[in-house]
Amino acid sequence: MSLTTAHSVVAPSANSKRIAGAIVVGYALVSIVPLLWIFATSFKTPPDSIAYPPKIVFQPSIEGYCNLFTTRTRQTPEYINSLGPATGFCDETVRKRNMVIAGPSNFLPRFVNSLIIAFGSTFCAVFLGTLSAYGFSRFKVPLADDLLFFILSTRMMPPIAVAIPIYLMYRELGLSDTALGMILLYTAVNVSLAVWLLKGFIDEIPREYEEAAMIDGYTRLQAFWRTVLPQATTGIAATAIFCLIFAWNEYAFAALLTSGTAQTAPPFIPTIIGEGGQDWPAVAAGTTIFLVPILVFTILLRKQLLRGITFGAVRK
Amino acid sequence: MLNRTADNVARATPEPLARRIRGISDKGLAWLFISPTILLLLAINIFPLFWAIYLSFTNYRANRPNEVVKNLGLANYRRILGDQDIWIAMQTTAHFVFWTILLQTVIGFTLAWLIDRKFRGHAFWTTIILVPMMLSPAVVGNFWRFLYEPQIGLFAYAVSFVTGIPPTNVQMLSNVELAPWAIIIVDTWMWTPYVMLICLAGLRSIPEYIYEAAEVDRASNWRQFWSITLPMALPFIMLAVLFRGIENFKMFDMVNLLTGGGPGSTTEVASITLKRQAFESWRTGYSSAFAIILFVAVFGLANIYVKALNKVKQR
């Protein structure tokens, strides 16, 4: 299912190829502009960020990043100077550039929350998903089709609809606004994807491998560990990336079920406020930092993307 | 590691235990493998779902947990079906779903069709096009709010640059006429790559020999497109429509951050109404009933659609 499989024998003419290329490149360039604009804004000063007409050439500044990470409250150059020698990178920048910072910011803890919750839930979802996918793939499970459909249907509910009873349940159990609660929730949402994707991958591994291993005296579990898992590594990795992207980007549950200690970055970034309005360079800086991991994954895994986004429903 | 441990256990322990470990029946193992997932889903999805169904028959309010809960029977459901605002929200949702799907399908399929020509550098540009769909809708929504700002935003500037309309008149988010389109534009920008990717898979799945046969028959390019390319790719296009339809029916993130349902209630989609009723007005019972109705609607529509999809596939 690679994106680069050779195909057209009926080769399109060179001219039509050139036109097709021009249109696609044009679309790609237009569609990437908002992202480049976010990136550029993250290096502007607040006045530059709201200048009209929009500034394409500007003196780069890291004020946005400083505002994003500062733990100080509303610092001015005079205030910084009164503190004695500069203690960090941000302090130095503030002194050199005469910046006014509207801190303190909670970005770092929110970002760490995102990391913990996204990776924690991904690990759990992939772990449970692998076991179940193997179970569905290799054993005669009563009502397997119904169970699989049930697993899939758990994704059809609008998140807000699920959020109401989950909110009540978590309040009873003391799980509201905790990382554990969010990990459990995201695991439950992701596990359906993981089971469906991994079942596809494991179905393609011939049963003969395990049968051979079992004839050699391995138990079913050992055969699973020795033969199936190593073969399924690529599939497991691809599944993990999809679970990670979902948990990383999720907003609705996070916005409704977390408010303080367990809040993740997506609901936090829009709330970054500076002097008299939204501090757009800081928001852009937060956005940029938040996007980097996903961009890296996208580029590394573009070939596996297809299978994931189609839920394994598109088969070769 | 596990296998070594199991080996050691098998070697070190007397025969009966080793036999017992080896002897877990396949049925037992299957249950062992599948049950954790099922239990988790029962706890986090099914139990809350039943709770929501129960609540939907009551007047419970989550912000007043000590009040006596009264059973209202079907009153909540009756009120929802008679509530003008809810019907307007459903219409708004349908409007969004229709336009986003139409635009995304047309643009996405066209792009896929062009990319399938394999011009130079197509893999690179495909990857660039894919980037928007990998982002967090919340972060995207928030940032587009900035791009849409009439005084300072890039979008207003670009529009006034091209059309000559003064940028202060490009009030994308506060104009009643334009606000829905502001959201449709962002959703299309973000999710067209998704539709494109599925269409690309469809186009790649068409076997070569069909085109070769058509060449032999001297079918024109148009003819080939209408009688081979489009029908063969149709199941994939329909699949993309299904996935986008389910997602956009639930659309929340982007609307919440771009307009919050405003101006007035022109962009208030079902999820926003649901959030207002559940987490602002705290009418938990009432909103649970609405949630159940929405779920049944998505589920029902998806099922009907899948049947149609299967028919197309079998052709």
Side-chain angles (χ1 to χ4, degrees):
Chain A
M1 196 85 83
S2 135
L3 287 177
T4 47
T5 349
H7 153 208
S8 287
V9 172
V10 190
S13 70
N15 211 14
S16 89
K17 267 192 185 188
R18 218 169 298 136
I19 295 167
I23 298 173
V24 172
V25 170
Y27 179 89
L29 290 177
V30 170
S31 84
I32 208 73
V33 163
L35 285 169
L36 296 177
W37 196 250
I38 296 175
F39 185 69
T41 305
S42 77
F43 288 102
K44 286 180 178 176
T45 58
D48 274 354
S49 76
I50 55 171
Y52 192 86
K55 277 198 174 177
I56 293 171
V57 182
F58 56 91
Q59 175 80 30
S61 151
I62 54 160
E63 199 171 326
Y65 289 89
C66 284
N67 281 353
L68 186 66
F69 284 107
T70 186
T71 50
R72 301 193 183 284
T73 36
R74 300 203 68 258
Q75 40 193 323
T76 57
E78 298 80 48
Y79 172 70
I80 297 274
N81 281 329
S82 74
L83 289 176
T87 50
F89 182 64
C90 278
D91 282 6
E92 257 176 46
T93 319
V94 170
R95 284 173 190 218
K96 255 190 254 157
R97 292 187 154 273
N98 268 358
M99 286 167 33
V100 180
I101 288 180
S105 159
N106 281 326
F107 181 72
L108 194 60
R110 302 304 185 250
F111 190 78
V112 172
N113 281 341
S114 270
L115 286 175
I116 294 172
I117 292 170
F119 279 92
S121 67
T122 300
F123 176 80
C124 297
V126 171
F127 179 76
L128 294 178
T130 312
L131 290 183
S132 304
Y134 182 75
F136 279 116
S137 176
R138 292 297 196 262
F139 300 112
K140 271 208 186 102
V141 180
L143 301 173
D145 285 345
D146 295 321
L147 276 178
L148 279 170
F149 183 73
F150 153 69
I151 290 175
L152 185 65
S153 69
T154 57
R155 282 181 89 89
M156 289 189 197
M157 196 93 167
I160 313 294
V162 192
I164 302 164
I166 298 259
Y167 172 83
L168 298 174
M169 187 169 88
Y170 275 14
R171 198 169 68 181
E172 294 295 313
L173 297 172
L175 282 173
S176 46
D177 207 6
T178 62
L180 179 65
M182 294 312 284
I183 290 176
L184 282 175
L185 181 58
Y186 288 170
T187 305
V189 178
N190 268 333
V191 82
S192 56
L193 173 76
V195 171
W196 275 72
L197 280 180
L198 284 165
K199 184 174 176 296
F201 282 112
I202 293 175
D203 278 343
E204 277 165 25
I205 302 168
R207 284 159 181 263
E208 284 75 30
Y209 288 124
E210 290 142 273
E211 279 160 15
M214 276 151 70
I215 289 166
D216 286 349
Y218 289 116
T219 63
R220 181 58 98 153
L221 269 179
Q222 288 167 331
F224 167 66
W225 189 260
R226 279 256 163 111
T227 63
V228 178
L229 269 193
Q231 301 258 349
T233 326
T234 336
I236 291 174
T239 308
I241 298 297
F242 283 106
C243 294
L244 199 62
I245 290 176
F246 169 81
W248 188 252
N249 286 340
E250 208 283 330
Y251 168 77
F253 286 128
L256 294 172
L257 299 177
T258 67
S259 50
T261 48
Q263 196 183 39
T264 52
F268 173 75
I269 291 174
T271 65
I272 301 172
I273 304 288
E275 302 249 293
Q278 193 126 33
D279 184 347
W280 287 111
V283 173
T287 308
T288 306
I289 292 175
F290 189 72
L291 298 185
V292 169
I294 295 301
L295 290 186
V296 172
F297 285 136
T298 313
I299 291 160
L300 290 180
L301 275 131
R302 59 182 184 281
K303 288 190 177 151
Q304 273 84 25
L305 276 176
L306 194 54
R307 193 144 182 186
I309 60 161
T310 56
F311 236 137
V314 175
R315 282 286 169 71
K316 206 173 175 179
Chain B
M1 215 181 76
L2 186 71
N3 53 11
R4 218 176 300 142
T5 323
D7 274 347
N8 289 344
V9 170
R11 228 174 286 129
T13 44
E15 190 58 15
L17 183 57
R19 276 257 292 283
R20 221 181 301 152
I21 290 173
R22 269 158 200 272
I24 301 178
S25 69
D26 271 8
K27 209 173 175 186
L29 262 183
W31 179 232
L32 200 70
F33 275 61
I34 291 165
S35 57
T37 300
I38 302 291
L39 289 178
L40 180 77
L41 288 175
L42 285 175
I44 306 275
N45 278 94
I46 300 309
F47 174 64
L49 178 65
F50 279 99
W51 197 344
I53 293 175
Y54 159 73
L55 288 175
S56 72
F57 296 114
T58 68
N59 65 345
Y60 181 75
R61 296 170 86 97
N63 61 338
R64 296 182 201 158
N66 296 326
E67 246 172 40
V68 184
V69 179
K70 256 193 300 187
N71 190 331
L72 302 176
L74 286 171
N76 281 333
Y77 289 91
R78 230 176 282 134
R79 265 169 61 204
I80 286 166
L81 295 177
D83 187 335
Q84 199 60 40
D85 291 347
I86 295 239
W87 283 107
I88 292 172
M90 294 304 272
Q91 272 173 27
T92 310
T93 311
H95 180 255
F96 276 122
V97 171
F98 175 78
W99 281 107
T100 51
I101 286 185
L102 183 72
L103 288 171
Q104 287 165 29
T105 312
V106 171
I107 304 174
F109 181 79
T110 311
L111 283 174
W113 186 62
L114 293 172
I115 287 171
D116 201 35
R117 267 137 221 275
K118 306 246 161 13
F119 55 87
R120 257 179 63 160
H122 68 97
F124 173 78
W125 293 107
T126 309
T127 309
I128 296 284
I129 290 179
L130 291 181
V131 171
M133 68 175 246
M134 311 310 295
L135 312 177
S136 168
V139 172
V140 162
N142 184 51
F143 213 87
W144 270 86
R145 206 155 50 81
F146 177 57
L147 297 178
Y148 277 144
E149 289 275 341
Q151 283 291 350
I152 55 175
L154 189 64
F155 185 86
Y157 181 71
V159 169
S160 79
F161 190 83
V162 174
T163 61
I165 301 168
T168 38
N169 287 1
V170 190
Q171 306 265 359
M172 289 303 283
L173 295 177
S174 49
N175 181 310
V176 174
E177 298 283 314
L178 294 177
W181 290 98
I183 293 165
I184 292 171
I185 290 172
V186 182
D187 196 79
T188 304
W189 171 76
M190 188 162 178
W191 292 111
T192 296
Y194 179 93
V195 177
M196 180 200 83
L197 212 49
I198 299 178
C199 290
L200 199 53
L203 294 173
R204 297 270 157 88
S205 75
I206 302 172
E208 276 315 314
Y209 65 84
I210 300 186
Y211 286 107
E212 287 162 26
E215 281 294 292
V216 172
D217 291 344
R218 302 206 175 171
S220 69
N221 280 346
W222 267 124
R223 191 65 211 271
Q224 286 183 27
F225 177 80
W226 287 108
S227 31
I228 302 173
T229 312
L230 207 54
M232 297 282 281
L234 191 61
F236 290 81
I237 298 171
M238 288 182 74
L239 201 65
V241 169
L242 173 71
F243 289 137
R244 283 314 311 151
I246 292 180
E247 283 304 310
N248 275 358
F249 199 83
K250 308 191 291 189
M251 175 158 35
F252 172 71
D253 327 49
M254 228 128 61
V255 184
N256 196 38
L257 281 155
L258 278 170
T259 64
S265 59
T266 40
T267 59
E268 187 167 317
V269 292
S271 285
I272 299 280
T273 309
L274 197 51
K275 180 204 136 202
R276 283 196 179 161
Q277 294 290 344
F279 291 93
E280 282 164 25
S281 310
W282 294 104
R283 299 163 77 186
T284 315
Y286 185 73
S287 52
S288 295
F290 187 34
I292 302 291
I293 290 178
L294 276 183
F295 179 54
V296 170
V298 180
F299 202 78
L301 288 174
N303 265 318
I304 295 169
Y305 187 88
V306 168
K307 289 221 171 79
L309 177 65
N310 284 336
K311 257 188 207 144
V312 171
K313 261 188 185 165
Q314 275 159 13
R315 260 200 338 225

Coordinates of all heavy atoms in Angstrom, one line a residue, chain A residues 87 121 146 165 170 242-244 274 283 287 304-305:
Chain A
T87 N 19.9 34.9 35.6 CA 19.9 33.5 36.1 C 19.6 32.6 34.9 O 19.9 31.4 35.0 CB 18.9 33.2 37.2 OG1 17.6 33.8 36.8 CG2 19.3 33.9 38.5
S121 N -1.2 6.3 27.5 CA -2.3 5.7 26.9 C -2.0 4.9 25.6 O -2.5 3.9 25.3 CB -3.4 6.8 26.5 OG -3.0 7.6 25.5
D146 N -19.4 -9.9 16.1 CA -20.2 -8.9 16.9 C -19.3 -8.2 17.9 O -19.5 -7.0 18.1 CB -21.3 -9.7 17.7 CG -22.3 -10.3 16.8 OD1 -22.7 -9.7 15.8 OD2 -22.8 -11.4 17.0
P165 N -21.5 11.2 31.1 CA -21.4 10.2 32.2 C -19.9 9.9 32.7 O -19.8 9.6 33.9 CB -21.9 8.9 31.5 CG -21.9 9.2 30.0 CD -22.0 10.7 29.9
Y170 N -16.1 9.8 36.9 CA -14.7 10.2 37.4 C -14.9 11.0 38.7 O -14.0 10.9 39.6 CB -14.0 11.0 36.3 CG -13.3 10.1 35.3 CD1 -13.5 8.7 35.2 CD2 -12.3 10.6 34.5 CE1 -12.9 7.9 34.3 CE2 -11.6 9.8 33.6 CZ -11.9 8.5 33.5 OH -11.2 7.7 32.6
F242 N -0.4 6.0 15.4 CA -1.7 6.5 15.3 C -2.4 6.8 16.6 O -3.0 7.9 16.8 CB -2.6 5.6 14.5 CG -2.3 5.7 13.0 CD1 -1.6 4.8 12.4 CD2 -2.7 6.9 12.4 CE1 -1.3 4.9 11.0 CE2 -2.3 7.0 11.0 CZ -1.7 6.0 10.4
C243 N -2.2 5.9 17.6 CA -2.7 6.1 18.9 C -2.1 7.4 19.5 O -2.8 8.2 20.1 CB -2.4 4.9 19.8 SG -3.3 3.5 19.3
L244 N -0.8 7.5 19.3 CA -0.1 8.7 19.8 C -0.6 10.0 19.3 O -0.8 11.0 20.0 CB 1.4 8.5 19.5 CG 2.4 9.4 20.3 CD1 2.3 9.0 21.8 CD2 3.8 9.1 19.9
G274 N -1.7 37.5 26.8 CA -0.6 38.5 27.1 C -1.1 39.8 27.6 O -2.2 39.9 28.1
V283 N 1.5 32.1 21.7 CA 0.6 31.1 21.2 C 1.3 30.3 20.0 O 1.3 29.1 20.0 CB -0.7 31.7 20.8 CG1 -1.6 30.6 20.1 CG2 -1.4 32.2 21.9
T287 N 2.4 26.5 19.8 CA 1.9 25.7 18.7 C 3.0 25.0 18.0 O 3.0 23.8 17.7 CB 1.1 26.6 17.7 OG1 0.1 27.3 18.4 CG2 0.4 25.8 16.6
Q304 N 3.0 4.4 6.1 CA 2.0 3.6 6.9 C 0.7 4.3 7.1 O -0.3 3.7 7.6 CB 2.6 3.2 8.2 CG 3.4 1.9 8.2 CD 4.8 2.2 7.8 OE1 5.3 3.3 7.9 NE2 5.5 1.2 7.2
L305 N 0.7 5.6 6.8 CA -0.5 6.4 7.1 C -1.8 5.9 6.6 O -2.8 5.8 7.3 CB -0.3 7.8 6.4 CG 0.5 8.8 7.2 CD1 0.7 10.1 6.4 CD2 -0.1 9.1 8.5

